Amino acid sequence: MKKSFNLLLMLLGLVVVSCNPLDDIHDEIDNELDNQLAVAQADYVLTEDDYEDLGLDFNNFSSEEDARTLVPTLLSDLFPTYGAGSILNVGFDLFNPLRIESYTVASSDYALIDLSTDYFTGRGEVIDFLDEKYPQVQEGEYIELTYNILAEEIAYTLTADDFDVIGDELGDVYPEPASSAAQYSNFDRRDDRDAYWSNDMIVEALGAVISEEFGDVAGQKYNVSYAIYDGSSGTESMTVQFDGNAYVAVGGMAYEFSDADYDAVGEEFADEYPGPAGNAAQFGSFDVRSTSDNYWSEDMLLEAINFTLKTAYPDAADGSKFVVSYAIYNGSVSTAITNVVLSGDDYVIDADASVSTIEETTVFAYTNGDWDEPYMLPENSYTEEFGQRFSNFGDEEEALSKIGIFLGREFPYAVEGEYKAVGYKFYNGEATVTEYVNYVFQNGSWMAIPTVTSETLQFGYEDGMWVPDNTIKYTLAGPDYGIIAEALSGNADLSTQIASMERYSNFDRRPGASAYWSDDSILLAMQAFLNEIAPSAPEGQKYVLTFDIYNGSNTTEDISLIKEGGEWVRF
């Protein structure tokens, strides 16, 4: 009643004091109303009806920013009696699915683990790189890493089915040769016959088979053995590689020393190198121990290779390449390989025979303190274990429940708190994709870590409306440290600290260390960083920055900054 009476008096005042501008009267009314509303502080959790009123299909927000934008309107309807200075802590559900960061290893990145190459030689080096690159990694985080790795040559022998594939794939291009290959399961090498297969044709045929068998992997080498007929049955081998467009011969034709070759070498070099020659013929290997009386030097080995290849291929054309394998003895017997090319009258070392690398993209998960690939459900488990019609799931809730039970059988010795990163096939209505989920072993069972989490935001009533706390929470990632290094590049006093930070993507916080970052220098770095990434931030904008540090172990620190008077200061 009092409020209505006051309003009536104010309206009457509008008539009497007609010289006051209308806007001023409206402001006075609003202020009067605000002064009569309650000042309160309370907690509130959104209900299913609230999400529906906001026009959402699910009982959660897809991002925190959506909550900041939509919740104020809801609060105005729910709390019409709360006035200026009121504060509400609003709880809501946030859809927070497992996110996978993608990173491509640059040429300069390999030096992070002291490699002089621009590729890894094995999986162990990939793991070492991840440890160095992401010292701040948290349990259950994922990285999709693209990198170059040394390719091991894959040996493969053509089967009768493969020759049928060749007959089908190349029948239109080479009718007679393709038909012959399919019929007899070999390549006819008689150059006076209609069914003749040249080296280039064989490369094409091998490419068709490998593409179907392995897929097209750029850089991967395949040493393929195959049957031939040149008047009598025999075998040949060739190393081929997919160069990104087509399969090409690399390194030349493979040649392996036989027992007869060692005998021939022993006879040919008996006068020039009596000890080494006799030893090679007797044991079928070359002694490469420099302290031995039977020592074969690199130059001597090249002589032996020249003699052997010229004997085997007297009509080889200039530029012909061979990958020669032979047995060596250096305390034990092993196989050595030498790439040679015919240059003029002699075979010389093929300087163009390069290391073969392939590009791989692999998803890694950090669980139980180590990087590893997620555990992928076996292909047959979907139909045999989970009762699915196809080798995938179509319902997420069902998948997570059944996978948890399956893990209990597969890993019966799990300990409390153990993590397991799992990958599974899921049909999303359009295609079958790979989904990932983290499980944790709790109270004797594997429990999926939920993708919907409960969050809280604070809203305040200011100037007639509800406004969210404008603090932006930001965690620095690898490239951000480069931004800071560039922004502070002219600061000679911090040159050592900047170099360390850029190399390790963290701040050295060990007092007394040459690269130590003090509190003041950290503030300077973060001010420079925000000036780079948020130069147009409005007055009053707040940031809580989380950054990686090293204080004897890898951990993080936070710093809270607000923009006041055009400068970033602590709050």
Side-chain angles (χ1 to χ4, degrees):
M1 177 67 70
K2 180 180 179 181
K3 184 189 299 184
S4 300
F5 180 73
N6 288 339
L7 281 173
L8 179 59
L9 288 178
M10 292 177 68
L11 291 172
L12 289 173
L14 176 61
V15 176
V16 175
V17 192
S18 59
C19 59
N20 285 349
L22 189 60
D23 287 344
D24 291 343
I25 300 303
H26 285 168
D27 289 342
E28 290 180 20
I29 294 174
D30 290 340
N31 290 333
E32 181 67 19
L33 288 174
D34 282 345
N35 290 334
Q36 297 180 52
L37 295 176
V39 177
Q41 183 167 349
D43 298 330
Y44 181 75
V45 178
L46 267 61
T47 66
E48 291 185 14
D49 289 341
D50 292 334
Y51 293 106
E52 184 177 346
D53 290 342
L54 291 172
L56 299 176
D57 295 328
F58 303 97
N59 296 327
N60 54 64
F61 294 104
S62 59
S63 70
E64 187 175 295
E65 185 58 34
D66 285 348
R68 291 173 178 272
T69 302
L70 297 175
V71 168
T73 301
L74 182 68
L75 297 182
S76 294
D77 294 335
L78 292 174
F79 302 97
T81 62
Y82 282 21
S86 295
I87 294 176
L88 283 172
N89 294 309
V90 179
F92 58 93
D93 286 338
L94 179 66
F95 181 57
N96 190 25
L98 188 150
R99 291 177 172 83
I100 301 177
E101 177 185 341
S102 296
Y103 186 79
T104 298
V105 182
S107 296
S108 58
D109 285 335
Y110 295 92
L112 193 61
I113 56 171
D114 299 323
L115 292 179
S116 59
T117 60
D118 59 355
Y119 58 86
F120 299 119
T121 60
R123 183 55 55 90
E125 290 181 349
V126 180
I127 301 303
D128 290 344
F129 172 80
L130 288 170
D131 285 336
E132 289 293 328
K133 183 65 178 177
Y134 300 101
Q136 78 285 3
V137 65
Q138 300 295 316
E139 192 77 4
E141 290 189 3
Y142 286 64
I143 296 291
E144 183 182 64
L145 195 69
T146 300
Y147 52 92
N148 296 325
I149 191 167
L150 187 66
E152 294 185 6
E153 190 169 281
I154 296 175
Y156 187 76
T157 300
L158 294 192
T159 66
D161 289 340
D162 293 329
F163 280 102
D164 288 340
V165 170
I166 293 168
D168 292 338
E169 292 290 327
L170 300 181
D172 293 339
V173 184
Y174 310 118
E176 288 293 332
S179 176
S180 171
Q183 182 177 357
Y184 298 108
S185 296
N186 63 34
F187 294 117
D188 193 324
R189 298 289 271 164
R190 297 172 295 178
D191 59 8
D192 60 342
R193 303 301 175 95
D194 291 338
Y196 169 66
W197 283 87
S198 68
N199 284 345
D200 289 342
M201 293 164 62
I202 290 176
V203 170
E204 204 172 337
L206 300 185
V209 172
I210 293 169
S211 180
E212 180 165 303
E213 185 72 20
F214 299 100
D216 299 328
V217 181
Q220 179 64 60
K221 288 182 179 179
Y222 303 87
N223 182 252
V224 187
S225 299
Y226 46 87
I228 66 162
Y229 185 78
D230 59 3
S232 60
S233 298
T235 59
E236 288 181 354
S237 63
M238 185 184 297
T239 300
V240 296
Q241 179 183 46
F242 186 66
D243 67 0
N245 296 305
Y247 284 88
V248 296
V250 293
M253 184 176 293
Y255 187 90
E256 183 177 358
F257 266 63
S258 65
D259 290 340
D261 290 331
Y262 293 108
D263 290 339
V265 167
E267 183 177 346
E268 174 68 16
F269 296 94
D271 293 337
E272 190 173 0
Y273 310 121
N279 181 269
Q282 180 180 358
F283 295 105
S285 64
F286 296 105
D287 191 333
V288 294
R289 298 173 299 170
S290 60
T291 58
S292 171
D293 293 336
N294 301 315
Y295 172 59
W296 283 85
S297 68
E298 291 185 2
D299 289 342
M300 292 165 62
L301 285 171
L302 189 57
E303 287 185 62
I305 291 171
N306 263 277
F307 164 72
T308 303
L309 291 180
K310 289 177 182 179
T311 301
Y313 300 98
D315 299 322
D318 190 44
S320 296
K321 295 184 177 184
F322 290 88
V323 181
V324 184
S325 58
Y326 48 89
I328 60 172
Y329 180 77
N330 57 2
S332 61
V333 177
S334 59
T335 300
I337 296 175
T338 300
N339 295 76
V340 296
V341 58
L342 185 60
S343 178
D345 296 329
D346 294 309
Y347 287 94
V348 297
I349 300 297
D350 185 4
D352 294 330
S354 59
V355 171
S356 178
T357 64
I358 58 175
E359 183 181 86
E360 286 187 354
T361 298
T362 307
V363 173
F364 292 94
Y366 188 80
T367 56
N368 309 308
D370 292 302
W371 286 102
D372 202 353
E373 293 183 49
Y375 173 74
M376 301 300 297
L377 294 184
E379 189 71 20
N380 62 353
S381 65
Y382 297 93
T383 53
E384 297 178 10
E385 294 282 345
F386 306 126
Q388 303 299 301
R389 183 180 177 186
F390 302 104
S391 294
N392 56 57
F393 285 107
D395 181 272
E396 184 181 24
E397 185 175 347
E398 178 189 16
L400 298 186
S401 174
K402 289 186 173 181
I403 292 173
I405 297 172
F406 178 74
L407 293 177
R409 297 199 301 268
E410 288 294 296
F411 304 98
Y413 304 109
V415 298
E416 188 74 9
E418 181 176 340
Y419 266 69
K420 184 69 66 178
V422 179
Y424 64 96
K425 299 297 183 182
F426 184 78
Y427 182 71
N428 61 15
E430 297 180 354
T432 299
V433 297
T434 300
E435 296 285 355
Y436 297 95
V437 60
N438 287 326
Y439 281 80
V440 62
F441 193 73
Q442 291 180 335
N443 301 320
S445 300
W446 287 101
M447 307 298 295
I449 296 176
T451 57
V452 175
T453 59
S454 296
E455 306 290 341
T456 302
L457 277 178
Q458 180 174 289
F459 292 83
Y461 195 77
E462 301 176 6
D463 300 325
M465 65 182 67
W466 291 97
V467 295
D469 184 351
N470 74 346
T471 301
I472 297 174
K473 298 177 181 178
Y474 187 95
T475 299
L476 274 68
D480 294 330
Y481 297 93
I483 292 175
I484 295 172
E486 178 66 24
L488 298 180
S489 59
N491 192 319
D493 293 337
L494 293 176
S495 58
T496 301
Q497 290 91 326
I498 293 169
S500 171
M501 176 204 62
E502 189 170 20
R503 175 175 173 79
Y504 297 107
S505 294
N506 63 31
F507 294 90
D508 192 329
R509 294 285 275 165
R510 297 171 298 167
S514 60
Y516 172 66
W517 286 82
S518 66
D519 289 347
D520 288 343
S521 58
I522 288 283
L523 174 60
L524 181 66
M526 296 307 165
Q527 289 171 330
F529 177 65
L530 289 179
N531 285 334
E532 291 294 327
I533 70 165
S536 302
E539 281 289 299
Q541 178 64 61
K542 299 176 182 177
Y543 270 88
V544 175
L545 300 174
T546 301
F547 52 93
D548 298 312
I549 69 163
Y550 182 73
N551 59 5
S553 62
N554 293 307
T555 183
T556 61
E557 285 185 8
D558 295 334
I559 186 171
S560 301
L561 300 177
I562 184 173
K563 194 169 188 179
E564 292 182 348
E567 301 291 333
W568 294 101
V569 298
R570 293 178 183 271
F571 74 90

